[in-house]
Structures are given as structure tokens and as C-alpha cells.
Amino acid sequence: VQLQASGGGLVQTGDSLGLSCAASGRTFSNYVMGWFRQPPGKEREFVARVSWSGVSTSYADSVKGRFSISRDNDKNMVYLRMNSLQPGDTAVYYCAAARTIISGRRTSEYDYWGQGTLVTVSS
């Protein structure tokens, strides 16, 4: 699976932003999709994941209620809608695909990664 993330940019505190991830290659609907982020100088961390069907989702506590993950299996796309952005959300955001997961919150569970898109939230 090849993944291409897009949609990052510079926004202000309180703004909203939508990220997209286009998948190609193997059957997209066979994969759990996740978003991770890596803040400057820190390790990559889980943000959200969505099940094969799109019915089940899971979020990091830090983004719960503000971010929303979704997918469109017909278009081979996964999305991350981010509302009420804070400076602490500044990071490079990565989409990832996993054939099987346990929790879906660890980077080691994912088989394929996109190149990342930078989100900067100014105060």
C-alpha cells in the first residue's frame, strides 16, 4: 500500500483543518487506517484509527472530541478532521495502514506509512 498524506499547513489557535490520505496498491478496505503525529523533538504518537468498515473509531485522549477520523473505501481515502486546534497539536501528521491490530495505538502495529504532512498551530 502506498500512502500520500496532504492538507497540512499553518493555522491559528482555534482554527480547523482537514487532512487527507490517499491510498493505492493493495485492497484498501482490508486495512485498518490510523493517523499518528510527531511533534518537534518528540516521538511519534497515536492520534486516531478507524476500522476496515469505518464503523469503529478510536482516539487519543488529547484529541478526543476535537478530531474526527473517517474513511471512504470507494475512493481509497482516509480523513482527519481537526477542530479547535491548539499549539500542542503542532506536528508532522502521518497516515498509516495495518492488516491486523491489537490496540491500533502503537506504531509497530502498522505496516505502511505515508510521508507526513506538517501542521503548525500558532498561538
Side-chain angles (χ1 to χ4, degrees), residues 43-59:
E43 294 186 351
R44 197 169 298 188
E45 62 184 25
F46 170 75
V47 175
R49 66 155 178 86
V50 60
S51 63
W52 302 277
S53 65
V55 172
S56 175
T57 59
S58 179
Y59 297 91

Side-chain angles (χ1 to χ4, degrees), residues 41-114:
K42 297 183 179 181
E43 294 186 351
R44 197 169 298 188
E45 62 184 25
F46 170 75
V47 175
R49 66 155 178 86
V50 60
S51 63
W52 302 277
S53 65
V55 172
S56 175
T57 59
S58 179
Y59 297 91
D61 288 343
S62 59
V63 307
K64 196 174 296 183
R66 300 189 297 123
F67 290 14
S68 178
I69 187 171
S70 61
R71 67 189 296 164
D72 185 334
N73 286 342
D74 291 334
K75 296 182 179 179
N76 287 4
M77 296 289 294
V78 63
Y79 307 98
L80 185 69
R81 182 65 182 175
M82 305 183 293
N83 297 323
S84 302
L85 283 162
Q86 302 296 318
D89 297 316
T90 294
V92 176
Y93 283 72
Y94 298 88
C95 58
R99 287 296 304 272
T100 59
I101 62 169
I102 299 175
S103 69
R105 292 171 174 258
R106 296 176 297 183
T107 57
S108 61
E109 297 182 77
Y110 289 80
D111 303 296
Y112 303 97
W113 292 84

